[in-house]
Amino acid sequence: MRIDFSGSPLRGRPYSEKPMTFCPPEDLNAWAGIIDLIAVETGERAAREHWQAAQFRNLLSHALQHSAFWRQRLGAKRLPANIKLADLPVLTRSALRAQVAAEDSLVKPPNPLPVQKHATSGSSGTPVEFFATKMNITYNHMRYFAQFFIYGLDVSLNMARFRTKPVDDPAGFTVKHEASWSNQQRLLRCGTMKFIQFYRPEIPQLCEELRRSPVGYFVSGPDIVEYLLQEVTPEFFVEIGTRMFIPISATFDAATLQLFADVDLPVAATYSAEEVGPIANECLKAPGHYHVATSNVIVEVDMSAPVDVDGELLGRVLVTHLHSYATPFIRYDIGDLARLAPTCPCGHDGPALSHIYGRSKQLIQFADGRLKPFFIRGSTLVEVAPLKEYRFRQTAPAVLAVEFVADEALPAPVFEALAALIRRHTGEDFEIRLQQVAEIDWANDTKRLGFRNELLT
Ligand SMILES: [Zn+2]
């Protein structure tokens, strides 16, 4: 093991000027927090599992002490000896809602830890409300930063982070600059942050903005990348100084991944959820496999009722968030399907997920129950019809409702061409209900997902 700062640019004047000191204590504390997490994530498996078992018991003990809901679930007032995670029932969204509505936060005065109420964006169904402590927020920032060291990446590179949100600017996007993309590390100099909020951006102007300074880490949902690829080639991303894509919420489709592989641009997706924070990070050596964030969660995949997704048998992802003291998430059904292996093909000695799909966000269901990932590239749709915005929803077995916005009323042959294109992805058995609308009513869906399955929750 070698720790050496010679290749890492240091911030301004990083060392203390006081007698018998080296670095300012607050800088060391931030650094120690990072080391803490890396020790758990990458250390010996038996020690890590022992730590997780102790944290699980701590959390459950807290829940039993402060929550009638959890006492009733366990049928016990005190922590049973040798209780295993698998002994507990699955926590559904509706059960979670009931607990939060009845009991509020389980961390409350005299406990001095600050607590905030949060709500999910509603992109995967009705939003859920929950409470999180300040420790959860701090942890999430630190764990995010620690991942760069686990990957062995250069933190002095810049970052561009994208978020879908309605904006007033006529160019369809706004830009906010920050001097550093992390406030967790004060010893090292991090690259700058460009935070871009967008909604139907003007691509030439967005490209001009992206050319202004080297992008470095390109952090976004797949949507903006798909949108850009309607007008630029993959080489454009190399030209603007992209060094790595970090997709959030979902990774790119296979065709896009290949485009970036062809120009040697690495992709490392993060798998996280608003309720529990980081769940897993994609392996750099074995793409498609995700190392579980063991300092934050225990992940199980329930294979009791396996589901066939495109020929792979997958199960429901259950997440236990080890630091969820305000609102316990224990065996929480996060709404995704995946496969879980005890180790990663790269040799990482820890649990690894693969074939991760959002049940309601990425899969269509056939009449016989089979599921298949559904994705049509934006550029493919625009080749057939001048769509400005669209949304696909599976509303009934073998029925796909498609709403779209365009500048002018589209003629019948264009409708037919669109329906034919969509049927190439769904098969002939699907009824395609196309509807041109003035605006799409996104309601709670702040992420504005292009596809939603309303049958699967
Ligand atoms: Zn790996």
Side-chain angles (χ1 to χ4, degrees), residues 44 52 114 144 152 163 180 193 195 200 214-215 226 243 245 271 282 341 359 373 377 421 435 455:
E44 196 182 31
Q52 286 196 315
Y144 186 82
R163 186 170 153 203
S180 168
M193 169 78 138
F195 188 62
R200 290 194 213 156
V215 162
E226 288 298 330
R243 299 285 285 274
F245 286 103
Y271 177 38
E282 189 170 12
R359 283 203 297 267
R377 300 188 68 186
L421 168 68
Q435 190 188 8
L455 306 181

PDB file of all heavy atoms in Angstrom, residues 44 52 114 144 152 163 180 193 195 200 214-215 226 243 245 271 282 341 359 373 377 421 435 455:
ATOM      1  N   GLU A  44     -10.762  -6.160   4.549  1.00  0.00           N
ATOM      2  CA  GLU A  44     -10.981  -7.604   4.591  1.00  0.00           C
ATOM      3  C   GLU A  44     -12.475  -7.933   4.724  1.00  0.00           C
ATOM      4  O   GLU A  44     -13.187  -7.327   5.527  1.00  0.00           O
ATOM      5  CB  GLU A  44     -10.226  -8.128   5.809  1.00  0.00           C
ATOM      6  CG  GLU A  44     -10.003  -9.584   5.838  1.00  0.00           C
ATOM      7  CD  GLU A  44      -9.272  -9.971   7.134  1.00  0.00           C
ATOM      8  OE1 GLU A  44      -9.475  -9.300   8.156  1.00  0.00           O
ATOM      9  OE2 GLU A  44      -8.518 -10.933   7.083  1.00  0.00           O
ATOM     10  N   GLN A  52     -20.913  -4.795   9.442  1.00  0.00           N
ATOM     11  CA  GLN A  52     -22.278  -4.639   8.930  1.00  0.00           C
ATOM     12  C   GLN A  52     -23.305  -5.303   9.854  1.00  0.00           C
ATOM     13  O   GLN A  52     -24.368  -4.740  10.116  1.00  0.00           O
ATOM     14  CB  GLN A  52     -22.403  -5.259   7.532  1.00  0.00           C
ATOM     15  CG  GLN A  52     -21.742  -4.429   6.446  1.00  0.00           C
ATOM     16  CD  GLN A  52     -22.209  -4.848   5.061  1.00  0.00           C
ATOM     17  OE1 GLN A  52     -22.272  -6.035   4.770  1.00  0.00           O
ATOM     18  NE2 GLN A  52     -22.511  -3.878   4.228  1.00  0.00           N
ATOM     19  N   PRO A 114     -29.388  16.930  13.925  1.00  0.00           N
ATOM     20  CA  PRO A 114     -30.422  17.580  13.100  1.00  0.00           C
ATOM     21  C   PRO A 114     -31.041  16.605  12.098  1.00  0.00           C
ATOM     22  O   PRO A 114     -30.369  15.710  11.579  1.00  0.00           O
ATOM     23  CB  PRO A 114     -29.649  18.686  12.367  1.00  0.00           C
ATOM     24  CG  PRO A 114     -28.394  18.877  13.147  1.00  0.00           C
ATOM     25  CD  PRO A 114     -28.070  17.542  13.743  1.00  0.00           C
ATOM     26  N   TYR A 144     -19.349   9.912  -1.861  1.00  0.00           N
ATOM     27  CA  TYR A 144     -19.211  10.314  -3.271  1.00  0.00           C
ATOM     28  C   TYR A 144     -17.750  10.633  -3.566  1.00  0.00           C
ATOM     29  O   TYR A 144     -17.182  10.183  -4.565  1.00  0.00           O
ATOM     30  CB  TYR A 144     -20.098  11.539  -3.529  1.00  0.00           C
ATOM     31  CG  TYR A 144     -20.163  11.955  -4.974  1.00  0.00           C
ATOM     32  CD1 TYR A 144     -21.037  11.315  -5.851  1.00  0.00           C
ATOM     33  CD2 TYR A 144     -19.363  12.979  -5.465  1.00  0.00           C
ATOM     34  CE1 TYR A 144     -21.110  11.688  -7.181  1.00  0.00           C
ATOM     35  CE2 TYR A 144     -19.434  13.356  -6.798  1.00  0.00           C
ATOM     36  CZ  TYR A 144     -20.304  12.713  -7.651  1.00  0.00           C
ATOM     37  OH  TYR A 144     -20.363  13.079  -8.967  1.00  0.00           O
ATOM     38  N   GLY A 152      -9.226   5.386  -8.061  1.00  0.00           N
ATOM     39  CA  GLY A 152      -7.887   5.858  -8.417  1.00  0.00           C
ATOM     40  C   GLY A 152      -7.930   6.985  -9.443  1.00  0.00           C
ATOM     41  O   GLY A 152      -7.078   7.077 -10.334  1.00  0.00           O
ATOM     42  N   ARG A 163     -28.718  18.540 -14.701  1.00  0.00           N
ATOM     43  CA  ARG A 163     -29.970  18.194 -14.033  1.00  0.00           C
ATOM     44  C   ARG A 163     -31.146  18.700 -14.858  1.00  0.00           C
ATOM     45  O   ARG A 163     -31.111  19.832 -15.345  1.00  0.00           O
ATOM     46  CB  ARG A 163     -29.975  18.850 -12.658  1.00  0.00           C
ATOM     47  CG  ARG A 163     -31.136  18.462 -11.810  1.00  0.00           C
ATOM     48  CD  ARG A 163     -30.922  18.956 -10.394  1.00  0.00           C
ATOM     49  NE  ARG A 163     -32.195  19.169  -9.770  1.00  0.00           N
ATOM     50  CZ  ARG A 163     -32.391  19.971  -8.748  1.00  0.00           C
ATOM     51  NH1 ARG A 163     -31.386  20.648  -8.240  1.00  0.00           N
ATOM     52  NH2 ARG A 163     -33.572  20.097  -8.223  1.00  0.00           N
ATOM     53  N   SER A 180     -14.936  24.580  -6.785  1.00  0.00           N
ATOM     54  CA  SER A 180     -14.522  23.204  -6.528  1.00  0.00           C
ATOM     55  C   SER A 180     -15.756  22.313  -6.533  1.00  0.00           C
ATOM     56  O   SER A 180     -16.823  22.724  -6.079  1.00  0.00           O
ATOM     57  CB  SER A 180     -13.846  23.124  -5.155  1.00  0.00           C
ATOM     58  OG  SER A 180     -13.689  21.775  -4.773  1.00  0.00           O
ATOM     59  N   MET A 193     -16.460  23.148 -10.830  1.00  0.00           N
ATOM     60  CA  MET A 193     -17.773  22.533 -11.064  1.00  0.00           C
ATOM     61  C   MET A 193     -18.602  23.446 -11.954  1.00  0.00           C
ATOM     62  O   MET A 193     -18.687  24.649 -11.725  1.00  0.00           O
ATOM     63  CB  MET A 193     -18.473  22.369  -9.720  1.00  0.00           C
ATOM     64  CG  MET A 193     -19.916  22.006  -9.836  1.00  0.00           C
ATOM     65  SD  MET A 193     -20.081  20.275 -10.218  1.00  0.00           S
ATOM     66  CE  MET A 193     -21.431  19.860  -9.148  1.00  0.00           C
ATOM     67  N   PHE A 195     -22.421  23.538 -13.099  1.00  0.00           N
ATOM     68  CA  PHE A 195     -23.710  22.910 -12.803  1.00  0.00           C
ATOM     69  C   PHE A 195     -24.732  23.406 -13.822  1.00  0.00           C
ATOM     70  O   PHE A 195     -25.023  24.595 -13.890  1.00  0.00           O
ATOM     71  CB  PHE A 195     -24.109  23.287 -11.379  1.00  0.00           C
ATOM     72  CG  PHE A 195     -25.308  22.569 -10.877  1.00  0.00           C
ATOM     73  CD1 PHE A 195     -25.302  21.185 -10.744  1.00  0.00           C
ATOM     74  CD2 PHE A 195     -26.443  23.257 -10.524  1.00  0.00           C
ATOM     75  CE1 PHE A 195     -26.411  20.507 -10.282  1.00  0.00           C
ATOM     76  CE2 PHE A 195     -27.569  22.584 -10.066  1.00  0.00           C
ATOM     77  CZ  PHE A 195     -27.551  21.216  -9.940  1.00  0.00           C
ATOM     78  N   ARG A 200     -35.152  21.071 -22.599  1.00  0.00           N
ATOM     79  CA  ARG A 200     -35.157  21.300 -24.051  1.00  0.00           C
ATOM     80  C   ARG A 200     -34.112  22.341 -24.443  1.00  0.00           C
ATOM     81  O   ARG A 200     -34.428  23.406 -24.984  1.00  0.00           O
ATOM     82  CB  ARG A 200     -36.527  21.803 -24.506  1.00  0.00           C
ATOM     83  CG  ARG A 200     -37.607  20.756 -24.439  1.00  0.00           C
ATOM     84  CD  ARG A 200     -38.798  21.274 -25.237  1.00  0.00           C
ATOM     85  NE  ARG A 200     -40.048  20.848 -24.717  1.00  0.00           N
ATOM     86  CZ  ARG A 200     -41.211  21.476 -24.909  1.00  0.00           C
ATOM     87  NH1 ARG A 200     -41.240  22.600 -25.581  1.00  0.00           N
ATOM     88  NH2 ARG A 200     -42.310  21.003 -24.429  1.00  0.00           N
ATOM     89  N   PRO A 214     -12.360  22.682 -20.126  1.00  0.00           N
ATOM     90  CA  PRO A 214     -12.383  21.215 -20.172  1.00  0.00           C
ATOM     91  C   PRO A 214     -13.427  20.646 -19.206  1.00  0.00           C
ATOM     92  O   PRO A 214     -13.486  21.053 -18.048  1.00  0.00           O
ATOM     93  CB  PRO A 214     -10.962  20.825 -19.736  1.00  0.00           C
ATOM     94  CG  PRO A 214     -10.139  22.035 -19.971  1.00  0.00           C
ATOM     95  CD  PRO A 214     -11.043  23.213 -19.780  1.00  0.00           C
ATOM     96  N   VAL A 215     -14.252  19.733 -19.706  1.00  0.00           N
ATOM     97  CA  VAL A 215     -15.374  19.213 -18.920  1.00  0.00           C
ATOM     98  C   VAL A 215     -14.906  18.291 -17.804  1.00  0.00           C
ATOM     99  O   VAL A 215     -15.391  18.353 -16.678  1.00  0.00           O
ATOM    100  CB  VAL A 215     -16.367  18.476 -19.861  1.00  0.00           C
ATOM    101  CG1 VAL A 215     -17.299  17.564 -19.077  1.00  0.00           C
ATOM    102  CG2 VAL A 215     -17.182  19.498 -20.640  1.00  0.00           C
ATOM    103  N   GLU A 226     -28.065  11.594 -24.764  1.00  0.00           N
ATOM    104  CA  GLU A 226     -28.846  11.183 -25.930  1.00  0.00           C
ATOM    105  C   GLU A 226     -29.249  12.399 -26.760  1.00  0.00           C
ATOM    106  O   GLU A 226     -29.199  12.388 -27.986  1.00  0.00           O
ATOM    107  CB  GLU A 226     -30.126  10.457 -25.478  1.00  0.00           C
ATOM    108  CG  GLU A 226     -29.889   9.084 -24.925  1.00  0.00           C
ATOM    109  CD  GLU A 226     -29.287   8.171 -25.959  1.00  0.00           C
ATOM    110  OE1 GLU A 226     -29.551   8.362 -27.165  1.00  0.00           O
ATOM    111  OE2 GLU A 226     -28.518   7.270 -25.576  1.00  0.00           O
ATOM    112  N   ARG A 243     -13.352  13.270 -19.658  1.00  0.00           N
ATOM    113  CA  ARG A 243     -12.427  12.186 -19.329  1.00  0.00           C
ATOM    114  C   ARG A 243     -13.172  10.952 -18.854  1.00  0.00           C
ATOM    115  O   ARG A 243     -12.641   9.862 -18.893  1.00  0.00           O
ATOM    116  CB  ARG A 243     -11.449  12.665 -18.267  1.00  0.00           C
ATOM    117  CG  ARG A 243     -10.614  13.848 -18.739  1.00  0.00           C
ATOM    118  CD  ARG A 243      -9.526  13.434 -19.710  1.00  0.00           C
ATOM    119  NE  ARG A 243      -8.451  12.788 -18.991  1.00  0.00           N
ATOM    120  CZ  ARG A 243      -7.453  13.430 -18.415  1.00  0.00           C
ATOM    121  NH1 ARG A 243      -7.357  14.735 -18.535  1.00  0.00           N
ATOM    122  NH2 ARG A 243      -6.534  12.774 -17.758  1.00  0.00           N
ATOM    123  N   PHE A 245     -17.545   9.498 -18.243  1.00  0.00           N
ATOM    124  CA  PHE A 245     -18.973   9.710 -18.003  1.00  0.00           C
ATOM    125  C   PHE A 245     -19.336   9.036 -16.688  1.00  0.00           C
ATOM    126  O   PHE A 245     -18.933   7.900 -16.431  1.00  0.00           O
ATOM    127  CB  PHE A 245     -19.815   9.079 -19.114  1.00  0.00           C
ATOM    128  CG  PHE A 245     -19.775   9.843 -20.399  1.00  0.00           C
ATOM    129  CD1 PHE A 245     -19.006   9.389 -21.459  1.00  0.00           C
ATOM    130  CD2 PHE A 245     -20.499  11.011 -20.544  1.00  0.00           C
ATOM    131  CE1 PHE A 245     -18.959  10.093 -22.638  1.00  0.00           C
ATOM    132  CE2 PHE A 245     -20.465  11.724 -21.725  1.00  0.00           C
ATOM    133  CZ  PHE A 245     -19.688  11.269 -22.773  1.00  0.00           C
ATOM    134  N   TYR A 271     -25.133   3.752  -8.879  1.00  0.00           N
ATOM    135  CA  TYR A 271     -26.476   3.252  -8.575  1.00  0.00           C
ATOM    136  C   TYR A 271     -26.824   3.751  -7.188  1.00  0.00           C
ATOM    137  O   TYR A 271     -26.171   3.369  -6.212  1.00  0.00           O
ATOM    138  CB  TYR A 271     -26.478   1.725  -8.656  1.00  0.00           C
ATOM    139  CG  TYR A 271     -27.794   1.065  -8.285  1.00  0.00           C
ATOM    140  CD1 TYR A 271     -29.020   1.634  -8.639  1.00  0.00           C
ATOM    141  CD2 TYR A 271     -27.817  -0.141  -7.586  1.00  0.00           C
ATOM    142  CE1 TYR A 271     -30.214   1.021  -8.304  1.00  0.00           C
ATOM    143  CE2 TYR A 271     -29.005  -0.764  -7.254  1.00  0.00           C
ATOM    144  CZ  TYR A 271     -30.202  -0.175  -7.608  1.00  0.00           C
ATOM    145  OH  TYR A 271     -31.394  -0.776  -7.267  1.00  0.00           O
ATOM    146  N   GLU A 282     -20.350   1.257 -10.495  1.00  0.00           N
ATOM    147  CA  GLU A 282     -19.951   0.350 -11.570  1.00  0.00           C
ATOM    148  C   GLU A 282     -18.453   0.106 -11.530  1.00  0.00           C
ATOM    149  O   GLU A 282     -17.652   1.016 -11.281  1.00  0.00           O
ATOM    150  CB  GLU A 282     -20.343   0.939 -12.928  1.00  0.00           C
ATOM    151  CG  GLU A 282     -20.159  -0.056 -14.061  1.00  0.00           C
ATOM    152  CD  GLU A 282     -20.776   0.419 -15.367  1.00  0.00           C
ATOM    153  OE1 GLU A 282     -21.149   1.602 -15.468  1.00  0.00           O
ATOM    154  OE2 GLU A 282     -20.867  -0.415 -16.296  1.00  0.00           O
ATOM    155  N   ALA A 341     -24.193 -11.109  -7.035  1.00  0.00           N
ATOM    156  CA  ALA A 341     -23.153 -12.142  -6.928  1.00  0.00           C
ATOM    157  C   ALA A 341     -22.306 -11.845  -5.692  1.00  0.00           C
ATOM    158  O   ALA A 341     -22.193 -10.685  -5.290  1.00  0.00           O
ATOM    159  CB  ALA A 341     -22.272 -12.125  -8.179  1.00  0.00           C
ATOM    160  N   ARG A 359     -38.003  -1.220 -12.304  1.00  0.00           N
ATOM    161  CA  ARG A 359     -39.197  -1.954 -12.765  1.00  0.00           C
ATOM    162  C   ARG A 359     -40.130  -1.038 -13.546  1.00  0.00           C
ATOM    163  O   ARG A 359     -40.629  -1.400 -14.602  1.00  0.00           O
ATOM    164  CB  ARG A 359     -39.961  -2.525 -11.559  1.00  0.00           C
ATOM    165  CG  ARG A 359     -39.335  -3.754 -10.971  1.00  0.00           C
ATOM    166  CD  ARG A 359     -40.357  -4.571 -10.200  1.00  0.00           C
ATOM    167  NE  ARG A 359     -40.914  -3.874  -9.064  1.00  0.00           N
ATOM    168  CZ  ARG A 359     -40.441  -3.945  -7.826  1.00  0.00           C
ATOM    169  NH1 ARG A 359     -39.381  -4.676  -7.580  1.00  0.00           N
ATOM    170  NH2 ARG A 359     -41.017  -3.304  -6.835  1.00  0.00           N
ATOM    171  N   PRO A 373     -36.200  -4.731 -21.507  1.00  0.00           N
ATOM    172  CA  PRO A 373     -35.850  -3.310 -21.443  1.00  0.00           C
ATOM    173  C   PRO A 373     -36.438  -2.582 -22.647  1.00  0.00           C
ATOM    174  O   PRO A 373     -36.407  -3.100 -23.766  1.00  0.00           O
ATOM    175  CB  PRO A 373     -34.314  -3.304 -21.514  1.00  0.00           C
ATOM    176  CG  PRO A 373     -33.902  -4.691 -21.211  1.00  0.00           C
ATOM    177  CD  PRO A 373     -35.021  -5.591 -21.606  1.00  0.00           C
ATOM    178  N   ARG A 377     -33.771   5.361 -28.938  1.00  0.00           N
ATOM    179  CA  ARG A 377     -32.926   6.552 -28.912  1.00  0.00           C
ATOM    180  C   ARG A 377     -33.686   7.749 -29.467  1.00  0.00           C
ATOM    181  O   ARG A 377     -34.402   7.647 -30.472  1.00  0.00           O
ATOM    182  CB  ARG A 377     -31.656   6.320 -29.720  1.00  0.00           C
ATOM    183  CG  ARG A 377     -30.860   5.152 -29.159  1.00  0.00           C
ATOM    184  CD  ARG A 377     -29.536   5.040 -29.825  1.00  0.00           C
ATOM    185  NE  ARG A 377     -28.720   6.188 -29.459  1.00  0.00           N
ATOM    186  CZ  ARG A 377     -27.539   6.438 -29.986  1.00  0.00           C
ATOM    187  NH1 ARG A 377     -27.051   5.642 -30.891  1.00  0.00           N
ATOM    188  NH2 ARG A 377     -26.854   7.476 -29.588  1.00  0.00           N
ATOM    189  N   LEU A 421     -42.145   2.441 -36.241  1.00  0.00           N
ATOM    190  CA  LEU A 421     -40.830   2.459 -35.578  1.00  0.00           C
ATOM    191  C   LEU A 421     -40.947   1.890 -34.163  1.00  0.00           C
ATOM    192  O   LEU A 421     -40.121   1.065 -33.737  1.00  0.00           O
ATOM    193  CB  LEU A 421     -40.306   3.902 -35.532  1.00  0.00           C
ATOM    194  CG  LEU A 421     -39.101   4.135 -34.629  1.00  0.00           C
ATOM    195  CD1 LEU A 421     -37.868   3.439 -35.171  1.00  0.00           C
ATOM    196  CD2 LEU A 421     -38.824   5.629 -34.474  1.00  0.00           C
ATOM    197  N   GLN A 435     -50.559  10.238 -29.497  1.00  0.00           N
ATOM    198  CA  GLN A 435     -51.371  11.426 -29.268  1.00  0.00           C
ATOM    199  C   GLN A 435     -50.475  12.663 -29.283  1.00  0.00           C
ATOM    200  O   GLN A 435     -49.511  12.744 -28.507  1.00  0.00           O
ATOM    201  CB  GLN A 435     -52.058  11.297 -27.896  1.00  0.00           C
ATOM    202  CG  GLN A 435     -53.106  12.341 -27.672  1.00  0.00           C
ATOM    203  CD  GLN A 435     -53.634  12.302 -26.230  1.00  0.00           C
ATOM    204  OE1 GLN A 435     -53.115  11.595 -25.369  1.00  0.00           O
ATOM    205  NE2 GLN A 435     -54.657  13.089 -25.975  1.00  0.00           N
ATOM    206  N   LEU A 455     -47.857  -0.394 -15.007  1.00  0.00           N
ATOM    207  CA  LEU A 455     -48.367  -1.677 -14.496  1.00  0.00           C
ATOM    208  C   LEU A 455     -47.470  -2.229 -13.403  1.00  0.00           C
ATOM    209  O   LEU A 455     -47.902  -2.949 -12.524  1.00  0.00           O
ATOM    210  CB  LEU A 455     -48.436  -2.716 -15.628  1.00  0.00           C
ATOM    211  CG  LEU A 455     -49.207  -2.330 -16.872  1.00  0.00           C
ATOM    212  CD1 LEU A 455     -49.193  -3.474 -17.863  1.00  0.00           C
ATOM    213  CD2 LEU A 455     -50.633  -1.973 -16.501  1.00  0.00           C
TER     214      LEU A 455
END
